[in-house]
Amino acid sequence: GAVVSQHPSWVICKSGTSVKIECRSLDFQATTMFWYRQFPKQSLMLMATSNEGSKATYEQGVEKDKFLINHASLTLSTLTVTSAHPEDSSFYICSAPSSGMFHYGYTFGSGTRLTVV
Amino acid sequence: AQKVTQAQTEISVVEKEDVTLDCVYETRDTTYYLFWYKQPPSGELVFLIRRNSFDEQNEISGRYSWNFQKSTSSFNFTITASQVVDSAVYFCALMQDTNAGKSTFGDGTTLTVKP
């Protein structure tokens, strides 16, 4: 089945540094990737939608300059948290339509737990 | 606007009990899709089921079953003879056909199955 590989699984970084999270679709082409953030014991909140070869679309309230998203190829989308601060500590998850069609379901990455100290 | 409500924040049952997780949704679209996902402690979301708005047929998959009722805008999930491995957070999600694939998730229900 469709697999999205997300790395790293967890990362601890110092305040002010940047962190890059990668999501790769291993056996299918992901023209679209959704990026979510999940705080402890809360639901998934969509941050942005990335499309291969074009600029990402950010949800209201999400800082574009802070959360840089790049979707350079059909199999790779990256999220860079720039100048991270403790309030950015969260669980970040990527997701792509499993078969290229949104309504058939989604495959999620395993998530990245970011802790900013 | 679309909204998903999972009123049950936490449920605790004893192994072998049946349990139903409720999901109520709101949408103005006539075409939409409903999903259930399982999130075990490891964090990865696992897709369980997808249902489109034109298919109200209930579905059973092993110990899992889903009851979709458009009249009440509900898409409830029942686990029969629960097992400890069913312990997880379960999310119901809605995707409107007109919303470019974006899903709205409910707040999740934490299910604890005790031995």
Side-chain angles (χ1 to χ4, degrees):
Chain A
V3 175
V4 172
S5 176
Q6 184 170 350
H7 294 280
S9 299
W10 58 271
V11 57
I12 301 174
C13 70
K14 290 186 177 180
S15 189
T17 61
S18 295
V19 174
K20 180 186 281 188
I21 300 170
E22 291 189 352
C23 280
R24 293 181 183 272
S25 56
L26 297 186
D27 47 4
F28 69 104
Q29 293 183 335
T31 55
T32 300
M33 190 75 74
F34 298 97
W35 287 93
Y36 294 88
R37 178 167 55 183
Q38 185 183 29
F39 291 109
K41 296 190 183 298
Q42 294 189 24
S43 187
L44 280 74
M45 298 301 294
L46 181 65
M47 298 175 64
T49 304
S50 73
N51 293 290
E52 187 268 335
S54 63
K55 288 185 178 181
T57 303
Y58 291 81
E59 295 301 301
Q60 196 171 9
V62 177
E63 299 176 58
K64 301 178 183 181
D65 295 332
K66 183 168 191 59
F67 299 100
L68 300 180
I69 290 175
N70 184 278
H71 198 143
S73 75
L74 289 172
T75 58
L76 175 63
S77 178
T78 62
L79 166 67
T80 301
V81 183
T82 62
S83 187
H85 288 96
E87 57 265 31
D88 298 324
S89 298
S90 188
F91 191 58
Y92 294 87
I93 310 174
C94 61
S95 167
S98 307
S99 64
M101 303 281 286
F102 295 133
H103 51 273
Y104 281 104
Y106 299 82
T107 297
F108 286 80
S110 53
T112 297
R113 195 165 300 282
L114 170 64
T115 302
V116 184
V117 298
Chain B
Q2 55 186 32
K3 183 180 178 181
V4 176
T5 302
Q6 293 180 256
Q8 304 149 307
T9 305
E10 296 182 7
I11 300 177
S12 181
V13 299
V14 176
E15 209 169 19
K16 297 185 182 177
E17 285 185 17
D18 299 346
V19 59
T20 295
L21 310 181
D22 298 333
C23 173
V24 174
Y25 62 92
E26 294 178 29
T27 177
R28 293 181 187 153
D29 279 23
T30 55
T31 302
Y32 53 89
Y33 303 87
L34 295 163
F35 302 85
W36 274 96
Y37 296 94
K38 174 181 180 180
Q39 187 177 39
S42 59
E44 183 173 358
L45 264 80
V46 177
F47 165 79
L48 296 178
I49 190 171
R50 168 190 62 89
R51 182 56 89 223
N52 71 55
S53 53
F54 298 109
D55 182 4
E56 284 193 75
Q57 208 169 11
N58 292 329
E59 181 154 340
I60 298 174
S61 176
R63 296 184 296 107
Y64 296 169
S65 62
W66 291 268
N67 184 307
F68 176 30
Q69 291 196 346
K70 287 180 72 172
S71 60
T72 55
S73 297
S74 65
F75 187 42
N76 297 337
F77 172 32
T78 298
I79 301 175
T80 304
S82 60
Q83 299 176 3
V84 173
V85 293
D86 295 326
S87 297
V89 181
Y90 290 85
F91 289 98
C92 179
L94 165 70
M95 189 196 80
Q96 292 176 170
D97 202 36
T98 56
N99 206 14
K102 297 178 184 180
S103 295
T104 297
F105 285 78
D107 288 338
T109 297
T110 300
L111 173 65
T112 302
V113 181
K114 299 178 181 177

